[in-house]
Amino acid sequence: MRVIMLGPPGSGKGTQGERIASRYGVPHISSGELFRDEVTRQTETGKTLQRYLDAGDLVPDDLVLSLVMDRVIAAQAEGGWVLDGFPRTVPQAEAAAKAAADVGMSAQAVVYLEVPPEVLADRLADRGEGRADDSAQVARHRLEVFTEYTRPLLDYYTKRGILVRIDASPPVDAVSEAIFAVLDRIDG
Ligand code: AP5
């Protein structure tokens, strides 16, 4: 199974991405988690990443690709992947598509989690994990960044015929069921 999770901050990409990965037995690759881990370990790269994460800005494409692509390629050997938070811009999508096509393993579905903005704000405010970028101001900015840079991917993947829209406002289990109903058909 090869799935890309797409959705605004707080839409449930991480929550649902883990469940999809576990159901289909493939690695869950979260760019945000990868970056936060670098920040926690205070690596040189982590220090650079922290500025972008704290501000809710996108990490530059070349840095993202240098950190994420190797993991995606390694995951192909395990039968696929669930990509969560990557690709996030059209140039990232083009680079990922090229690398995947080179080994004949393109994405089978892009799951777009649709949630109204007011619900997103509540979810991030309630998360309670102390993520520095969940403050109301930064969360608002992350949503603006999504609208400007990531939303164009909806057209990009619709044109390729692999976008699946899921209403992600219901409770977690109901959203999972809606996603599995679609992905089971692809997997079977
Ligand atoms: P990233 O970690 O990807 O954050 P995000 O996209 O802002 O998304 P979140 O992790 O906040 O939310 P989510 O959609 O995963 O929802 P979740 O399941 O956690 O990226 C962080 C930063 O890294 C970016 O701002 C950027 O700086 C950088 N970055 C990452 N990738 C990049 C890239 N490719 N290029 C450039 N920069 C990049 O759920 C949220 C909360 O809601 C949780 O508490 C959860 O329990 C709850 N919840 C989930 N589903 C439901 C439900 N159905 N009902 C009720 N509550 C729910």
Side-chain angles (χ1 to χ4, degrees):
M1 177 61 70
R2 297 179 302 280
V3 182
I4 293 172
M5 306 302 295
L6 206 55
S11 56
K13 300 183 297 296
T15 305
Q16 299 298 338
E18 276 178 23
R19 287 173 167 222
I20 297 169
S22 143
R23 183 175 180 94
Y24 300 102
V26 292
H28 169 224
I29 301 173
S30 159
S31 49
E33 268 177 31
L34 197 73
F35 299 165
R36 283 187 289 278
D37 180 57
E38 293 279 346
V39 171
T40 305
R41 290 189 291 115
Q42 283 289 292
T43 61
E44 277 311 307
T45 307
K47 289 176 195 162
T48 304
L49 290 169
Q50 183 160 21
R51 291 204 309 272
Y52 296 102
L53 267 64
D54 284 355
D57 285 327
L58 289 180
V59 175
D61 287 336
D62 53 352
L63 182 52
V64 172
L65 291 168
S66 74
L67 292 168
V68 178
M69 278 314 296
D70 284 353
R71 300 204 178 215
V72 179
I73 289 162
Q76 318 261 41
E78 293 179 54
W81 28 253
V82 177
L83 302 186
D84 159 10
F86 170 85
R88 217 175 181 102
T89 63
V90 172
Q92 288 180 22
E94 286 168 344
K98 183 176 180 317
D102 284 349
V103 290
M105 294 190 92
S106 301
Q108 293 165 288
V110 176
V111 173
Y112 175 50
L113 301 176
E114 295 185 279
V115 183
E118 60 278 12
V119 177
L120 296 172
D122 286 348
R123 284 189 191 172
L124 296 180
D126 292 347
R127 173 158 33 202
E129 272 172 24
R131 245 174 77 172
D133 58 350
D134 278 345
S135 71
Q137 192 189 352
V138 177
R140 230 180 355 258
H141 180 59
R142 284 158 60 204
L143 186 54
E144 289 162 2
V145 168
F146 170 82
T147 303
E148 182 167 358
Y149 296 100
T150 309
R151 228 170 206 294
L153 287 178
L154 297 184
D155 268 355
Y156 179 92
Y157 289 120
T158 299
K159 283 187 188 130
R160 283 154 184 80
I162 53 172
L163 190 81
V164 177
R165 288 174 181 266
I166 299 284
D167 175 6
S169 9
V172 172
D173 286 346
V175 176
S176 301
E177 277 171 31
I179 296 172
F180 296 159
V182 176
L183 296 185
D184 281 355
R185 286 202 296 275
I186 293 172
D187 196 45

